[in-house]
Amino acid sequence: MATISNPVTTALVENSGTQPCTQKKVTLGPANVIAYMFQGTGVFMCLDVVVWPMEVARTRMQASKDNRPQSTFKLLRDIARTEGPTKLFRGLGPFLLTSLPSQFVYLGVYEHATSVIERNFPDRHNSNSAMREVAVAGTAGFLAEAFSAILYVPTDIISQRLRIQSESKGGPHMTSLDIFKSIYRTDGIRGYYQGFMATLLAFTPSSVTHWAGYEATKKVLFNHFSAKEQQHIHQGKTDSFYTHYRLSQNNHFIVGLSALNASVMSLVVSSPFDMVRVRLQLLDSIHQEQAEQLKKGWWAMAKLIARQEGVRGFFKGMAPKVMAAIPGGMGYLFAYEYIKENLEGDSTKTPAFTSSSSSSSSSTTSSVPSILPPTFST
């Protein structure tokens, strides 16, 4: 008895044999790099404004020596009730002042470093390895954070000190300018880079983990779903989970899950170092005890926190950090991909899965549209 082939299966098999599945990697032409840096900086600054109340809550929790659990929303409600709703954005002004140049430098260095590394160390064997993505993105993230820190650390110190001011507890109220003058008067220029090493220790591993985790997760997910789809198509399983949903082409899913994974990873890596950074930046050398602690550096501060507050002390303020970092990080990466896609000058395609089947002369090689959500494409 003759076997009647399933037309849907036949079409999918023919399509998979003639159209290798590739993942599109967006790169920018030289003319679009500056526009990308300006647009990216504007979008990311807006994301910072949205999550800023959580940053205020986080800093106050980290500054507190009290080890009892604190409710994030109760703290925010108390600040709004006793000090006024505008105080939920305390310290935002000086932060935004250098956010523009520091984000500009960060994005520019990251994109330039990525292109230089990929140009000088090409994937000659088409290994399509997630470890390569970790190395490239991690190195670029490290350089971007190191260069941009030179610009944002001074205003970050001022912003930190503004955030912990509580009018309900009395005491002198200091403006950004007052704090700026006070730091210069007591420590000079060096005071504006107080805790600089702790900042690098906090944010550099975070930046490396953020980008490396994001790019590697994208690669792993795409390769996995592509391979499974091809396998099930050739087996005639047209109604299976993989062939039905075609997740390798579901760009919302891939970007979203990769961004979530990157945000969680960078948060876990940076939290202990971030605690040390905040404590160092809040020290005032006008007081002898604090001045001595400053001289001892970040390692002595880390040991002090461990001795007085235990391991839990390094993870204070995690609740507001999670509430700010995860949606903020995911929004950051969606915006990053969206802007790059719209300013794309030229693209390079990295093979993710190829079939051994030969194609006819009239057929053309196609690719999965883009790692971006379809609505992001122009």
Side-chain angles (χ1 to χ4, degrees), residues 26 50 55 61 100 109 158 160 181 236 242 246 248 251 255 274 291-292 296 302 311 332 334 360 375:
V26 178
V50 171
E55 290 295 324
M61 287 182 181
L100 177 62
V109 170
I158 297 172
Q160 296 279 6
K181 290 178 179 178
Y242 290 102
R246 301 302 300 272
S248 69
N251 303 306
V255 173
D274 189 47
E292 290 176 359
K296 294 177 182 178
V311 176
Y332 184 102
F334 266 110
S360 63
T375 53

Side-chain angles (χ1 to χ4, degrees), residues 157-177:
I157 292 175
I158 297 172
S159 177
Q160 296 279 6
R161 296 190 182 187
L162 283 172
R163 278 181 250 174
I164 64 168
Q165 286 189 145
S166 177
E167 294 175 358
S168 63
K169 295 181 180 179
H173 173 71
M174 299 181 72
T175 65
S176 300
L177 186 58

